[in-house]
Amino acid sequence: MDFTFTEEQQMMVSAFRELADDLCSATALRAAFEGRSDHASERWQRLAELGLPGMLAPESVGGMGLNLADFILIAEAAGRAALPETLVEHAGIAVPLLSEFSADARVASVLQAAASGDARVAINHTSNPFALGALEASHVLMVGDQEIHLLTRDAVSLESHRSIDALRSLSRVTGSLGASTCIARGAEAVAAAARAFERGALLTAAECAGLCEALIGLGVSYASERTQFGKKIGSYQAIKHQLANVQVKLEFARPVLYAAATQADALTTRSQFAVSHAKLASTDAVDLAGRTAVQVHGAMGYSWEVDVHFYLKRALGLTGMWGDRSFHMRRAQHQLFTQHLDVGPDALFGSSALPAMSL
Amino acid sequence: MDFTFTEEQQMMVSAFRELADDLCSATALRAAFEGRSDHASERWQRLAELGLPGMLAPESVGGMGLNLADFILIAEAAGRAALPETLVEHAGIAVPLLSEFSADARVASVLQAAASGDARVAINHTSNPFALGALEASHVLMVGDQEIHLLTRDAVSLESHRSIDALRSLSRVTGSLGASTCIARGAEAVAAAARAFERGALLTAAECAGLCEALIGLGVSYASERTQFGKKIGSYQAIKHQLANVQVKLEFARPVLYAAATQADALTTRSQFAVSHAKLASTDAVDLAGRTAVQVHGAMGYSWEVDVHFYLKRALGLTGMWGDRSFHMRRAQHQLFTQHLDVGPDALFGSSALPAMSL
Amino acid sequence: MALDLNYTADEQRFRAEVRAWMQTHVPKEPLPTLEGEVGFALHREWEKTLAAGDWGMITWPREYGGRGASLIEWLIFEEEYYRANAPLRVNQNGIFLLGPTLMEFGSEEQKARFLPQMAAGEEVWAQAWSEPQAGSDLAALRSTATREGDEYVLRGHKIWSSRATFADWCFGIFRTDPASERHKGLTFFLVPLTHPGVRVRGIRQMHGEPGFAEIFFEDVRVPVAWRLGADGEGWNIAMATAGFERGLMLRSPARFQVAAQRLVRLYETHAETAEPALASAVAQAVMDAEAYALSTYATATRLIAGGKIGVEASLNKIFWSELDVHIHRCALSLLGGFAELAAGDPAVVGSDAWLDGFIFSLAGPIYAGTNEIQRNIIAERLLGLPRG
Amino acid sequence: MALDLNYTADEQRFRAEVRAWMQTHVPKEPLPTLEGEVGFALHREWEKTLAAGDWGMITWPREYGGRGASLIEWLIFEEEYYRANAPLRVNQNGIFLLGPTLMEFGSEEQKARFLPQMAAGEEVWAQAWSEPQAGSDLAALRSTATREGDEYVLRGHKIWSSRATFADWCFGIFRTDPASERHKGLTFFLVPLTHPGVRVRGIRQMHGEPGFAEIFFEDVRVPVAWRLGADGEGWNIAMATAGFERGLMLRSPARFQVAAQRLVRLYETHAETAEPALASAVAQAVMDAEAYALSTYATATRLIAGGKIGVEASLNKIFWSELDVHIHRCALSLLGGFAELAAGDPAVVGSDAWLDGFIFSLAGPIYAGTNEIQRNIIAERLLGLPRG
């Protein structure tokens, strides 16, 4: 039992946070959001240099061979920076999915390119109404109910949709699917699709936790500077206690995320409950964080001029993907009330329950 | 359209509030709660002198011939005083029920005595797990699914149960029911029982609103006196805003109560929605008020020494009677989502919708 | 008879009249947002259409372009207005805020000059309250007005002025006594936004439209006739205006009742997949909208009986602003993966702009005095708790 | 390997050992409340039973009656303890608060004198912090300790001392420097409640039992040996004690996990009639209880790795106290008309004392520093907002 991150994990995320702070400065984000600049390919390049796209790919294809628990802090940091690139989807969901089928030569070549960042893979998953980042991708994974297909971006048609977050490109994707594009079918495809869903839910949750941290930070900075009635507004309890409440929510979402990261791939009732819990806790935290940050900023928070809305809009998009609040709350209830998931204090980690004792 | 109370109504309630303040001083309540005194019969006598038991009885039996809208402020004031007597049940539910059957000579004589306060009538209603105040009553109305019976207290057996509010006597009542005790059956009985239920829900809601006012008052007094860190605790926003939030809840429960009082007897989908709304709004308000009052008082609020707990315990009891929170929330949802109750802005008062226009 | 919650025959006839008119005149398609240039112009046209039907501001006296309607009739009007899905009032600053203020504090000349133009939809008004350093703390304002002969010279910088980008006039307070502090020495002025020295710069709101503006006053010379009330009386008048803002009229309950009704419909189409608590949250939205309506009727009859609106305006402000956020959060939860779609995207569910509405609702707990300030007011002035 | 959330074979063996012992020793019937005289005595017996099994305070060194267990083993112990529905710890003030304080600040003699007696369940401790004018504002206390030769003479009036009515010793701080103010000049003392001049008066709690007490100190002469730490060092020591109170050990997560698990069972028997939001509220209770447990495991491994508990103790305090209220409010909602029944009434649903638990939960946001104060601490010390 060890609930800490290794020094390597912490160093990796520090390096990424530093890079992300650099790539996603307020000015850079604003320019990207307003379509005034496009440093997207440069940003992707820098991410690739750090090896991030291939973190979860096997070393045999040039990846780092790490696992979800190694990636969870990266996803959180991507959220915190409001990173415009779909690093989390590519590296955290698509690459592990491809890795499951790397014995297939068609997959292996794409996986190799995806690990280096030369290919960018978007996912059109049956549980999401739209695919994210397909417009910027080189490949699209079409994850259906019974089959998984891999196509190049040229081979699919995109119907674009507009998110309130201008940095999220949404599409409905169609393409001609056949034996030549199919990389998995039947039970194998179903299980892989389910794992992709769990990873999607978990990692968007981590992004939300990161956004929550960023929003608290914005609120704290503003409240520490802004004076009203002769005092910094951050010295009023009304402001203090609102921000403290958000911090409480964030603090009790994080361990849930980390614990879910160790088991999300297992597809057990317990692991799915853990993932749903993580998604609910993080999206609830960022929901409160967004509204609180606006309120603390006053009229300023409601304007385009401060950065609050970038984070708030990103959170709105992430909250609805990979199972919305209703999906995860209903799933959790199903697990509790119908499947009678054991929630005794000895059952927290699933594996810990003792065999029935015959004393 | 007139949403005000008449001068007579206001005078009546002022007189009652004055009396209730006198009868239910903190000392008197405490003595009653601790069983150290019994001024119950004296209190009932004083209530009777004001004509309160017969407010809703016809003038022909010595009552005042008033209606539920006249009584709603009295019920609220009874709650505010934490009046130990079951005036609300007797005068607001039992007497109107008896009045529906006053053509029956057996009923008429009891009604006359009930109007003057010489008789005290408790109600054993099928929707409540326990009857309130049967121990102190002279008569019990047994309100079943298909029949209503009127029995003297001597003719029933009581199984006593203990409420956390020592001033609420709870019983399960059984008695030998037959033609001689039956005062209504069939559709007539069902409708009368349903009206009794609506009145019960509405008037306990009004009592909860009164309790809420009392709890705010206790919190405000204490916060205005108690000093911590060199300032009155009521000058801290953390305290101010909690109490202000309770006041908001109370303020928007009251007009709901009053509007429901004008229509509770109608037994329409709209009137039942209004009554459920009133019960939910008032019980939610007093729930928050109770917890807030404890919190504002600190450890003192958790002790027996201050009066907060009398009100909090009363509210706990009233919240569960005449349909608990679940019942009323489910009923409201049934009306909205299954019966498709019109909630357009022209449908608020039920009667106001225009006939379909053929322009 | 008291607590008579039935409409009179006259009130019923009045409702029928409003309904018939709205059915004929309300644009069939929703107008574009009034925060943008095109939408603003169309909303201004709508004000004129309303005025042509004598509906500009029905509670005002006939001489000022009203029809002397009662407050109950006004509520009925609003119910039918929102029921018909009529456009938002682009001149709400004029008719709901400055109108009543002029009625109470204006000279006869000022009333005659300004009120009919407001009711006619000819002149659209903006507020000029806040300043960069004076948001919630209005008394900290620094803009000045210096008396020179028959004129005042205004200098300063106002901000967060809703829709000033496209409006015609603004009203605000300025410091006339340079030695004064806080609430003293302030005076209330009416200024055309096209007046020499006035410069307006739009501020984009979260949704990207310039719904706010900054107003710069650079040696703006205004005649004494544009001063409202006496020199130094500005704070009291502004507080009265703010009371109107929080009070009865600005957020008529029908708006929330209609939103809650639409939320019920949205829920019904998502009932299969919605998590259980949403059923209760939607029911709560309906109940709260009705509670707000009932409370407004109660206040209206109290005002008709000669009462005043006081501190309870702060209770209103908190209740409707939180209700509005609640309604829209429920809607976004129901929409799930479709919630993030920008207005106008073809995949948007139904015809309701829930996302824009959500973003707009976030402003509710802030403007017209933040809810934190309203809670202070309730605690100190209504409950009598000691000042901080 | 990091983030390894599997128990080691040793940890599994340890769990089996605890489970077997509890299965044999935990009283079959719940004990009466420890706030009353009879219940207190029975709980004191239970402490001795625990001690006899070497379970008095497992993380303490063996020389003080512990078994040198790791924090992970402590969490496993607690899980099995609550899983077995074992009685509340009547000596929690001793083992969880004063114990760690003595370990950090006590002399060797004091540790040897007091710790084994605590672990053995022989001496039950009460706090003597608050005074009538010093509740949340502990630094406002007025009780004094005057040095006279080798003794101090204590005078004053302490209040809200949980279970002092039946306990053996108390600990608290007194003003030793009469010229001092606020946090300075305070000293930490240990005093037997039976000592001459000490008078204890029970205060009834909301449920009617004397769970609180006042303690009057009337010229109480105590030897210097009963002073903990140096003269004037009382505030720092008390703050460390309060940190333990809010921190890891006092509210072990298993307590809430078991309560949430029971709530699920209660929900299942009421699912037909419960309003929909209760399903979500109950699921939330389970999730929050697990979040608290996970957070505690994270903190424990951080402490094992040499970390310290700091301000995050305030986050804990808010979270578990609100969770406890939430769990019990859900239960009362489910119980409906049966919620008000006093403990022991034959019609009470099931065997869980939900109503008593609810009332007890209301104290959570108050004691160990009110949640308002915890929010100040989080805002100022963790987030770095300016002081008020």
Side-chain angles (χ1 to χ4, degrees):
Chain A
M1 177 65 58
D2 181 2
F3 212 126
T4 54
F5 289 96
T6 60
E7 215 167 308
E8 291 75 25
Q9 287 169 327
Q10 292 177 35
M11 279 170 55
M12 185 84 195
V13 79
S14 292
F16 173 58
R17 277 176 78 133
E18 205 170 302
L19 173 61
D21 282 348
D22 185 31
L23 298 178
C24 303
S25 68
T27 321
L29 268 188
R30 184 165 292 269
F33 207 91
E34 296 177 348
R36 283 187 287 103
S37 83
D38 188 11
H39 294 284
S41 60
E42 181 200 325
R43 277 196 301 267
W44 184 258
Q45 189 51 44
R46 304 267 307 269
L47 298 169
E49 280 163 16
L50 216 58
L52 293 162
M55 263 184 81
L56 305 193
E59 294 178 65
S60 59
V61 298
M64 296 190 191
L66 297 173
N67 61 37
L68 208 49
D70 298 301
F71 192 69
I72 191 82
L73 292 180
I74 300 291
E76 198 180 331
R80 176 175 165 277
L83 185 74
E85 276 60 48
T86 53
L87 173 69
V88 170
E89 288 73 13
H90 171 93
I93 312 170
V95 164
L97 195 156
L98 290 172
S99 301
E100 294 194 34
F101 305 104
S102 59
D104 182 329
R106 294 169 303 172
V107 175
S109 68
V110 176
L111 180 57
Q112 184 136 25
S116 68
D118 291 344
R120 283 174 72 172
V121 187
I123 308 151
N124 189 68
H125 193 286
T126 185
S127 70
N128 288 325
F130 307 101
L132 181 69
L135 205 63
E136 300 83 4
S138 60
H139 296 75
V140 180
L141 273 163
M142 303 289 281
V143 183
D145 281 335
Q146 290 292 327
E147 294 180 352
I148 300 175
H149 295 260
L150 177 61
L151 289 86
T152 61
R153 165 72 181 77
D154 302 339
V156 298
S157 311
L158 303 186
E159 175 192 290
S160 280
H161 289 276
R162 285 201 310 123
S163 167
I164 188 162
D165 176 354
L167 297 176
R168 284 167 63 80
S169 84
L170 303 181
S171 314
R172 279 178 172 151
V173 187
T174 46
S176 169
L177 309 180
S180 69
T181 59
C182 184
I183 63 170
R185 60 167 53 87
E188 196 185 40
V190 170
R195 274 187 290 272
F197 179 80
E198 300 301 315
R199 291 180 200 130
L202 174 70
L203 295 174
T204 50
E207 288 185 87
C208 285
L211 287 162
C212 181
E213 180 186 336
L215 283 161
I216 293 172
L218 290 173
V220 167
S221 306
Y222 187 75
S224 304
E225 284 165 18
R226 171 76 168 171
T227 298
Q228 291 275 274
F229 302 102
K231 297 203 301 192
K232 300 288 181 207
I233 62 169
S235 67
Y236 292 103
Q237 282 184 332
I239 299 293
K240 276 188 182 153
H241 290 195
Q242 286 183 55
L243 287 165
N245 284 339
V246 185
Q247 185 68 29
V248 171
K249 272 205 180 294
L250 174 60
E251 208 74 32
F252 287 90
R254 278 182 171 142
V256 177
L257 277 175
Y258 307 153
T262 65
Q263 53 186 309
D265 284 345
L267 298 185
T268 62
T269 308
R270 166 50 70 181
S271 79
Q272 292 186 331
F273 185 76
V275 168
S276 287
H277 182 182
K279 184 89 197 291
L280 290 165
S282 294
T283 52
D284 284 355
V286 79
D287 168 54
L288 184 65
R291 288 181 287 127
T292 303
V294 171
Q295 186 69 18
V296 166
H297 279 79
M300 192 65 95
Y302 188 65
S303 80
W304 189 274
E305 314 272 318
V306 298
D307 299 334
V308 172
H309 66 105
F310 298 132
Y311 300 87
L312 185 146
K313 290 169 178 172
R314 179 68 52 87
L316 266 173
L318 293 173
T319 298
M321 283 194 82
W322 303 106
D324 62 7
R325 203 178 181 292
S326 279
F327 174 88
H328 288 288
M329 186 46 109
R330 282 162 52 97
R331 186 167 88 165
Q333 289 178 25
H334 178 75
Q335 287 152 348
L336 285 176
F337 305 136
T338 308
Q339 301 194 272
H340 301 291
L341 173 68
D342 186 355
V343 292
D346 57 326
L348 182 62
F349 299 105
S351 58
S352 65
L354 294 174
M357 297 208 326
S358 50
L359 286 173
Chain B
M1 177 65 59
D2 181 3
F3 212 127
T4 54
F5 289 96
T6 60
E7 215 168 303
E8 291 75 26
Q9 287 169 327
Q10 292 177 33
M11 279 170 55
M12 185 86 197
V13 78
S14 293
F16 173 59
R17 277 176 77 134
E18 204 170 300
L19 173 62
D21 283 349
D22 184 31
L23 298 179
C24 304
S25 67
T27 322
L29 268 188
R30 183 164 292 270
F33 208 93
E34 297 178 346
R36 284 187 286 102
S37 85
D38 189 10
H39 294 284
S41 62
E42 180 200 327
R43 276 197 302 267
W44 184 258
Q45 190 51 43
R46 303 264 311 267
L47 297 169
E49 281 162 17
L50 217 59
L52 293 162
M55 263 185 79
L56 305 192
E59 294 179 62
S60 59
V61 298
M64 294 191 192
L66 297 173
N67 62 37
L68 208 50
D70 298 301
F71 192 70
I72 191 82
L73 293 179
I74 299 292
E76 198 179 329
R80 176 174 164 279
L83 184 74
E85 276 60 47
T86 53
L87 173 69
V88 169
E89 289 71 15
H90 171 92
I93 313 171
V95 163
L97 195 157
L98 291 171
S99 300
E100 294 194 33
F101 306 105
S102 60
D104 182 330
R106 294 168 304 170
V107 174
S109 68
V110 177
L111 180 56
Q112 185 136 24
S116 68
D118 290 343
R120 284 175 72 171
V121 187
I123 309 151
N124 189 68
H125 194 286
T126 184
S127 69
N128 289 324
F130 307 101
L132 181 68
L135 206 63
E136 300 84 4
S138 61
H139 296 78
V140 180
L141 273 163
M142 304 288 283
V143 183
D145 281 334
Q146 292 290 326
E147 293 179 353
I148 301 175
H149 295 259
L150 176 61
L151 289 86
T152 61
R153 164 75 180 75
D154 303 339
V156 299
S157 310
L158 302 185
E159 176 193 292
S160 280
H161 290 275
R162 283 201 311 122
S163 168
I164 188 162
D165 176 356
L167 297 176
R168 285 167 62 82
S169 84
L170 304 180
S171 314
R172 279 177 172 153
V173 186
T174 45
S176 170
L177 309 180
S180 68
T181 59
C182 184
I183 62 169
R185 63 166 54 88
E188 199 185 36
V190 169
R195 274 187 290 272
F197 179 80
E198 299 302 314
R199 291 180 200 129
L202 174 69
L203 295 175
T204 49
E207 289 185 87
C208 285
L211 288 162
C212 181
E213 181 187 335
L215 284 161
I216 294 172
L218 289 173
V220 167
S221 304
Y222 187 75
S224 304
E225 284 165 17
R226 171 78 168 170
T227 297
Q228 293 274 274
F229 302 103
K231 295 203 302 192
K232 300 289 181 207
I233 62 169
S235 67
Y236 292 102
Q237 282 184 332
I239 300 292
K240 276 187 183 155
H241 291 196
Q242 286 184 54
L243 287 165
N245 284 339
V246 185
Q247 185 67 28
V248 171
K249 271 204 181 295
L250 174 59
E251 209 73 32
F252 287 90
R254 279 182 169 142
V256 177
L257 278 174
Y258 306 154
T262 66
Q263 53 186 308
D265 285 346
L267 298 185
T268 62
T269 307
R270 166 50 69 180
S271 78
Q272 292 185 330
F273 184 76
V275 168
S276 286
H277 182 183
K279 185 91 197 290
L280 291 165
S282 294
T283 52
D284 284 356
V286 78
D287 168 54
L288 184 64
R291 288 182 286 127
T292 303
V294 171
Q295 187 69 19
V296 166
H297 279 78
M300 191 64 92
Y302 188 65
S303 80
W304 188 276
E305 315 272 318
V306 297
D307 299 334
V308 171
H309 67 105
F310 298 132
Y311 299 86
L312 185 144
K313 289 169 180 173
R314 179 69 50 87
L316 268 172
L318 292 173
T319 298
M321 282 195 84
W322 302 106
D324 62 6
R325 204 178 180 292
S326 279
F327 174 88
H328 287 287
M329 186 47 112
R330 282 163 53 98
R331 186 167 88 165
Q333 289 178 24
H334 178 74
Q335 287 151 349
L336 283 176
F337 305 138
T338 309
Q339 301 194 271
H340 300 292
L341 173 69
D342 185 357
V343 292
D346 57 327
L348 182 61
F349 299 105
S351 59
S352 66
L354 292 176
M357 296 207 328
S358 53
L359 284 172
Chain C
M1 182 189 142
L3 267 196
D4 174 11
L5 305 187
N6 296 293
Y7 295 104
T8 62
D10 277 352
E11 287 164 349
Q12 297 263 38
R13 266 190 301 274
F14 178 79
R15 181 187 295 278
E17 187 189 346
V18 183
R19 186 171 297 185
W21 190 90
M22 292 291 164
Q23 208 153 346
T24 317
H25 292 86
V26 169
K28 298 302 165 218
E29 289 297 312
L31 304 184
T33 170
L34 55 72
E35 315 290 5
E37 187 165 3
V38 174
F40 193 93
L42 289 168
H43 279 80
R44 193 195 273 270
E45 278 313 303
W46 166 249
E47 288 287 336
K48 291 181 187 166
T49 307
L50 273 176
D54 237 4
W55 304 109
M57 189 53 202
I58 62 168
T59 59
W60 291 5
R62 293 206 169 269
E63 56 186 305
Y64 299 135
R67 44 165 91 197
S70 76
L71 283 175
I72 299 297
E73 285 170 328
W74 178 72
L75 285 169
I76 293 169
F77 171 79
E78 291 283 302
E79 286 168 3
E80 294 300 321
Y81 190 91
Y82 281 99
R83 199 176 163 281
N85 202 17
L88 292 178
R89 302 296 299 266
V90 73
N91 201 11
Q92 49 183 270
N93 283 326
I95 53 186
F96 297 132
L97 301 186
L98 183 60
T101 311
L102 274 167
M103 222 86 79
E104 192 168 335
F105 297 97
S107 66
E108 286 311 314
E109 292 71 26
Q110 287 173 327
K111 287 191 247 187
R113 161 68 187 82
F114 293 112
L115 291 172
Q117 294 287 82
M118 264 179 224
E122 293 293 339
E123 287 173 352
V124 175
W125 287 80
Q127 299 182 25
W129 293 137
S130 292
E131 299 182 5
Q133 298 311 315
S136 296
D137 182 11
L138 198 53
L141 61 80
R142 298 174 183 176
S143 294
T144 58
T146 313
R147 180 76 181 248
E148 294 188 5
D150 280 351
E151 291 182 328
Y152 285 90
V153 182
L154 312 189
R155 296 184 185 93
H157 177 187
K158 299 285 185 178
I159 195 168
W160 310 126
S161 182
S162 294
R163 292 176 293 282
T165 319
F166 310 113
D168 306 304
W169 282 73
C170 71
F171 56 90
I173 49 178
F174 293 77
R175 198 165 290 286
T176 36
D177 177 359
S180 68
E181 281 192 356
R182 305 288 302 162
H183 313 95
K184 301 196 194 325
L186 300 169
T187 303
F188 197 118
F189 289 96
L190 313 173
V191 188
L193 287 164
T194 51
H195 206 57
V198 177
R199 189 159 56 81
V200 178
R201 192 181 76 83
I203 302 176
R204 280 193 296 169
Q205 291 176 338
M206 214 184 263
H207 47 53
E209 300 284 359
F212 292 138
E214 294 178 283
I215 311 177
F216 300 92
F217 295 86
E218 288 151 3
D219 298 333
V220 177
R221 307 189 80 86
V222 301
V224 172
W226 292 350
R227 187 186 75 202
L228 182 58
D231 200 301
E233 211 194 337
W235 182 259
N236 290 339
I237 303 175
M239 285 304 97
T241 310
F244 297 129
E245 185 168 18
R246 288 195 290 271
L248 189 66
M249 293 205 145
L250 192 63
R251 284 288 166 266
S252 59
R255 173 187 180 136
F256 305 106
Q257 287 170 280
V258 165
Q261 191 178 28
R262 286 180 184 149
L263 183 65
V264 169
R265 286 192 211 122
L266 184 70
Y267 174 76
E268 285 168 350
T269 59
H270 290 74
E272 291 291 301
T273 50
E275 69 108 337
L278 281 171
S280 305
V282 170
Q284 191 67 53
V286 172
M287 289 189 271
D288 287 349
E290 295 204 341
Y292 182 57
L294 292 168
S295 165
T296 305
Y297 269 95
T299 305
T301 50
R302 203 164 45 73
L303 290 175
I304 291 169
K308 287 264 175 208
I309 295 195
V311 178
E312 62 272 31
S314 295
L315 299 159
N316 270 5
K317 164 75 209 302
I318 290 171
F319 196 78
W320 66 247
S321 60
E322 293 188 345
L323 166 59
D324 203 27
V325 173
H326 175 77
I327 289 172
H328 288 91
R329 285 183 69 215
C330 284
L332 296 195
S333 271
L334 288 168
L335 290 170
F338 292 85
E340 67 171 309
L341 290 176
D345 187 273
V348 165
V349 177
S351 60
D352 294 315
W354 290 112
L355 179 58
D356 273 6
F358 170 70
I359 288 184
F360 185 74
S361 78
L362 295 180
I366 296 168
Y367 75 96
T370 65
N371 285 9
E372 288 76 25
I373 289 180
Q374 305 307 329
R375 290 193 177 90
N376 285 346
I377 292 174
I378 293 166
E380 292 169 12
R381 299 195 216 154
L382 191 64
L383 300 180
L385 286 165
R387 299 189 72 108
Chain D
M1 181 189 145
L3 268 196
D4 175 11
L5 305 188
N6 296 293
Y7 296 103
T8 63
D10 277 353
E11 287 163 348
Q12 298 262 38
R13 266 191 300 277
F14 178 78
R15 181 186 293 278
E17 185 188 350
V18 182
R19 186 171 296 186
W21 190 89
M22 292 291 164
Q23 208 153 348
T24 317
H25 293 84
V26 169
K28 298 303 166 221
E29 290 296 312
L31 304 184
T33 170
L34 55 72
E35 313 291 4
E37 187 165 4
V38 175
F40 192 94
L42 289 168
H43 280 81
R44 192 195 273 272
E45 277 313 302
W46 166 248
E47 288 287 336
K48 290 181 186 164
T49 307
L50 272 175
D54 237 4
W55 304 109
M57 189 52 204
I58 62 168
T59 59
W60 291 5
R62 293 206 169 269
E63 55 186 305
Y64 300 134
R67 45 166 90 195
S70 76
L71 282 176
I72 299 297
E73 285 170 327
W74 179 72
L75 285 169
I76 293 170
F77 171 78
E78 290 285 299
E79 286 168 3
E80 294 300 321
Y81 191 91
Y82 281 99
R83 198 176 163 283
N85 202 17
L88 292 178
R89 301 297 297 269
V90 71
N91 200 12
Q92 48 184 269
N93 283 324
I95 54 186
F96 297 132
L97 302 186
L98 183 60
T101 311
L102 274 166
M103 223 87 79
E104 192 167 336
F105 299 97
S107 65
E108 285 313 313
E109 293 71 23
Q110 288 173 327
K111 288 191 248 185
R113 160 66 187 83
F114 294 112
L115 290 171
Q117 294 287 83
M118 264 180 228
E122 293 293 338
E123 287 173 351
V124 176
W125 286 80
Q127 301 183 21
W129 293 136
S130 291
E131 298 182 5
Q133 298 310 318
S136 295
D137 183 12
L138 198 54
L141 60 83
R142 298 173 183 177
S143 294
T144 59
T146 313
R147 182 76 182 247
E148 293 186 8
D150 279 352
E151 291 184 330
Y152 285 89
V153 182
L154 311 190
R155 295 183 185 94
H157 177 188
K158 299 285 186 178
I159 195 167
W160 310 127
S161 181
S162 294
R163 292 177 292 281
T165 319
F166 310 113
D168 306 302
W169 282 73
C170 71
F171 55 90
I173 50 179
F174 293 75
R175 197 165 291 285
T176 36
D177 176 357
S180 68
E181 281 192 356
R182 306 287 303 162
H183 313 96
K184 302 195 192 325
L186 299 169
T187 303
F188 197 117
F189 289 96
L190 314 172
V191 188
L193 287 164
T194 51
H195 208 56
V198 177
R199 191 161 56 82
V200 178
R201 192 182 76 85
I203 301 176
R204 281 195 295 169
Q205 290 176 339
M206 214 184 266
H207 46 54
E209 299 283 359
F212 291 140
E214 293 177 284
I215 311 177
F216 299 92
F217 295 86
E218 289 152 5
D219 298 334
V220 177
R221 306 189 81 88
V222 302
V224 172
W226 292 350
R227 188 188 73 201
L228 182 59
D231 200 301
E233 211 193 338
W235 181 260
N236 290 340
I237 303 174
M239 286 304 96
T241 310
F244 297 129
E245 184 168 19
R246 288 194 290 271
L248 189 66
M249 294 208 147
L250 191 63
R251 284 288 166 265
S252 60
R255 173 186 180 134
F256 304 107
Q257 288 170 279
V258 165
Q261 191 179 29
R262 287 179 183 151
L263 183 65
V264 169
R265 287 193 209 121
L266 184 69
Y267 174 76
E268 286 169 349
T269 59
H270 290 75
E272 291 291 300
T273 50
E275 70 107 340
L278 281 170
S280 305
V282 169
Q284 191 66 55
V286 172
M287 289 189 272
D288 287 349
E290 296 205 340
Y292 182 57
L294 292 168
S295 165
T296 305
Y297 270 96
T299 305
T301 48
R302 202 162 48 71
L303 290 176
I304 290 169
K308 287 262 175 209
I309 294 196
V311 179
E312 63 272 29
S314 295
L315 298 159
N316 270 6
K317 165 75 207 304
I318 290 172
F319 196 79
W320 66 249
S321 61
E322 293 189 346
L323 167 59
D324 202 27
V325 174
H326 174 78
I327 290 172
H328 288 90
R329 286 184 69 215
C330 285
L332 295 196
S333 270
L334 288 167
L335 291 170
F338 292 85
E340 67 173 309
L341 289 176
D345 188 272
V348 166
V349 177
S351 60
D352 295 316
W354 289 113
L355 179 58
D356 272 7
F358 170 70
I359 288 184
F360 185 73
S361 78
L362 294 180
I366 296 168
Y367 75 94
T370 66
N371 284 9
E372 288 76 25
I373 288 180
Q374 306 306 330
R375 290 193 178 91
N376 285 347
I377 293 174
I378 293 166
E380 292 168 12
R381 298 196 215 153
L382 190 64
L383 301 179
L385 287 166
R387 299 189 74 106

